[in-house]
Amino acid sequence: MRAPRSLRFRLLAGAALWIALALAAAGVGLSALFRDHVIARFDTELDHHLDQLAANIDIGVDGKPVLPQSLSDPRFQRPLSGLYWQVQAGDAVLRSRSLWDVVLDLPPDPDRSPHRHDVKGPGGQSLVVIERSVTLADTGANLRLAVAADRSELATVMRAFNVTLAGSLGLLAVALILAAVIQVQVGLFPLVRLRRGLAEVRAGRTERLGGTLPSEVQPLVDDLNALLGHASDVVARSRLEAGNLAHALKTNLAILANEAAALDEVAARPINRQIDLIRRNIDHHMARARAAATKGVPGSSTVIGGAVAAIVRVMRRLYDERGLDIEDRVPPGLVFAGDRQDFDEILGNLVDNACKWASRRVEITAGANGGMIWLAVDDDGPGLADAERDAVLAPGVRLDESVPGSGLGLAMVREFAGLYGGRLDLDRSPLGGLRALVELPTIP
């Protein structure tokens, strides 16, 4: 069985275990000490009664033992009270009223020294007996004195004490465990703050971990901030280098295109075809590389409302001569868990494609579904047949060469969405043309 991964559980389980063991050991020790104390007090009390009996016993004129005055403890006068005395002088026996008609069966006393016995008493009581033999100075009579008490009184006292002790230690255990819970909560709170800070970074609401944490945690925060900064710098440098490479290649392609323009049309056609193919591949792979570099980078997020409004403004100016009605129906508050430039690439291609084919109207709508947001771009153009919808998602495929473009737009959108864990679907639009529906991750 694997150990639980929760640090809180481990700390609390360890504290609870040690508290339980410590209190159990304390309970056993206290119970033993109290038992020894009670037994000592019990024996001391019996010795006291035995001394009192020895001081008051006497021999009558008939040679039998007599007790001129009763002992101080009233239980000796109450039948079967659990406290008894007995005096033997040869065959004569004198006993307390509490024994009623029972004579204690004491074992033989060969050496006449003090003894402690366990015997059966009235009603089957288990008695502790302390007895000793004495010789009266004035008469020379030999007497065997015994005082007995019911052992169940010891058990009753011990049981009451153990119940009280168990309850007290139980309450103490609860209090100590609650204190341990509070201590663990307070001790782990900096880690909770750290987790919340990382969630803020991951959600894109901040780029660095802030706040001052205890000295044991602060070095970790500093290292994480350094790592986040390094990752951001690496992504920025990678994008810069990729842009520089694309710019250099496109500059060389422009020189080749100018050289090809100087040739006759037949000779220039294959050269221009290759130049166009290289340019498409550059655009396609540079877009993929940029999306792959920014995907999952901490701190990346885009509020799509502002991004959609900006794209709509650009498209309205670009297609102003055609008089297109481009409507933005995106609700506020939706956030894309990714880079703003990647989002502009995705939506810009979709809206540009819709504007190229629309007759008069383009609509952009959006919403959220679980951990994803969806954006739908509808147009009232001719649309696509079912068989054509899969074909246009292949890079470089253009179903109508009369419309300007490279044929990479929808393919790039599909790859961008896939890199972020989303997808692109094409369907018939309620406006009569094509609907492009893209799903992208949102901030949890």
Side-chain angles (χ1 to χ4, degrees):
M1 181 183 295
R2 293 193 308 171
R5 297 175 60 188
S6 170
L7 181 59
R8 179 182 287 104
F9 175 83
R10 293 181 183 183
L11 292 174
L12 291 178
L17 177 61
W18 283 112
I19 289 172
L21 291 176
L23 292 183
V28 171
L30 290 174
S31 179
L33 288 174
F34 183 75
R35 183 184 65 250
D36 293 343
H37 172 73
V38 169
I39 291 175
R41 293 289 300 174
F42 189 78
D43 291 345
T44 300
E45 183 178 359
L46 290 182
D47 284 335
H48 172 73
H49 291 313
L50 190 61
D51 290 340
Q52 190 178 14
L53 179 63
N56 287 277
I57 197 67
D58 201 355
I59 295 294
V61 293
D62 57 357
K64 295 181 179 179
V66 294
L67 188 67
Q69 62 180 26
S70 300
L71 300 186
S72 60
D73 197 315
R75 288 177 293 174
F76 288 119
Q77 304 300 318
R78 189 168 68 248
L80 308 180
S81 65
L83 184 62
Y84 315 105
W85 61 261
Q86 178 175 290
V87 178
Q88 288 180 272
D91 294 333
V93 176
L94 180 67
R95 58 187 181 274
S96 64
R97 189 168 183 271
S98 57
L99 273 173
W100 200 243
D101 58 353
V102 175
V103 176
L104 297 178
D105 185 15
L106 301 177
D109 182 21
D111 56 7
R112 297 174 57 84
S113 60
H115 293 289
R116 178 189 174 99
H117 308 293
D118 294 325
V119 300
K120 289 293 183 182
Q125 293 176 344
S126 178
L127 302 181
V128 176
V129 179
I130 294 180
E131 59 93 9
R132 70 172 179 261
S133 297
V134 298
T135 300
L136 298 181
D138 53 348
T139 63
N142 294 320
L143 303 177
R144 189 178 184 186
L145 311 179
V147 176
D150 189 357
R151 185 185 296 275
S152 64
E153 292 187 9
L154 286 176
T156 300
V157 172
M158 285 300 304
R159 185 164 51 250
F161 175 79
N162 287 335
V163 169
T164 303
L165 179 63
S168 301
L169 292 179
L171 291 176
L172 180 59
V174 172
L176 290 176
I177 291 175
L178 288 177
V181 170
I182 295 173
Q183 182 179 12
V184 169
Q185 290 292 109
V186 173
L188 294 182
F189 185 71
L191 296 182
V192 175
R193 287 179 55 195
L194 178 58
R195 185 186 66 182
R196 291 174 181 171
L198 288 173
E200 292 289 312
V201 172
R202 185 180 179 187
R205 289 185 279 269
T206 182
E207 295 183 355
R208 296 289 185 275
L209 297 171
T212 301
L213 294 175
S215 58
E216 293 82 1
V217 183
Q218 190 62 43
L220 175 62
V221 174
D222 296 338
D223 289 343
L224 285 173
N225 280 332
L227 183 61
L228 291 171
H230 176 70
S232 179
D233 292 341
V234 168
V235 171
R237 287 197 301 269
S238 299
R239 298 183 72 163
L240 178 61
E241 293 298 327
N244 291 337
L245 177 60
H247 178 72
L249 290 174
K250 288 183 177 181
T251 300
N252 292 332
L253 288 177
I255 294 173
L256 289 176
N258 289 334
E259 293 295 329
L263 303 175
D264 61 84
E265 183 178 352
V266 176
R269 186 177 299 123
I271 297 175
N272 287 329
R273 187 180 300 114
Q274 292 302 315
I275 291 173
D276 187 49
L277 180 60
I278 294 172
R279 185 178 289 112
R280 292 179 184 179
N281 285 328
I282 291 173
D283 291 340
H284 176 65
H285 290 291
M286 290 302 298
R288 285 194 63 191
R290 185 173 64 248
T294 56
K295 174 183 176 291
V297 174
S300 296
S301 66
T302 302
V303 179
I304 70 171
V308 172
I311 291 174
V312 168
R313 286 194 299 270
V314 171
M315 293 300 170
R316 283 171 178 168
R317 288 196 299 268
L318 187 61
Y319 292 95
D320 181 60
E321 293 182 357
R322 292 180 53 194
L324 291 179
D325 179 16
I326 305 175
E327 186 174 354
D328 173 6
R329 300 174 59 186
V330 175
L334 297 178
V335 180
F336 164 53
D339 185 71
R340 168 66 181 267
Q341 188 172 350
D342 294 340
F343 181 80
D344 290 344
E345 193 78 34
I346 293 171
L347 188 62
N349 275 288
L350 294 180
V351 177
D352 184 50
N353 185 75
C355 290
K356 288 175 181 176
W357 294 97
S359 298
R360 297 188 59 83
R361 183 175 178 81
V362 174
E363 282 187 4
I364 306 168
T365 54
N369 182 18
M372 306 291 286
I373 57 172
W374 58 265
L375 291 106
V377 180
D378 295 284
D379 65 71
D380 60 352
L384 291 173
D386 292 343
E388 296 173 329
R389 290 172 189 157
D390 292 332
V392 297
L393 294 177
V397 174
R398 297 172 60 197
L399 299 181
D400 190 344
E401 296 290 338
S402 64
V403 178
S406 64
L408 291 173
L410 293 179
M412 288 172 58
V413 170
R414 185 177 68 173
E415 291 209 28
F416 267 66
L419 287 170
Y420 277 101
R423 64 176 185 173
L424 172 65
D425 293 322
L426 301 179
D427 203 350
R428 185 162 187 82
S429 169
L431 300 181
L434 181 69
R435 161 169 280 194
L437 180 65
V438 63
E439 289 188 349
L440 298 170
T442 186
I443 300 298

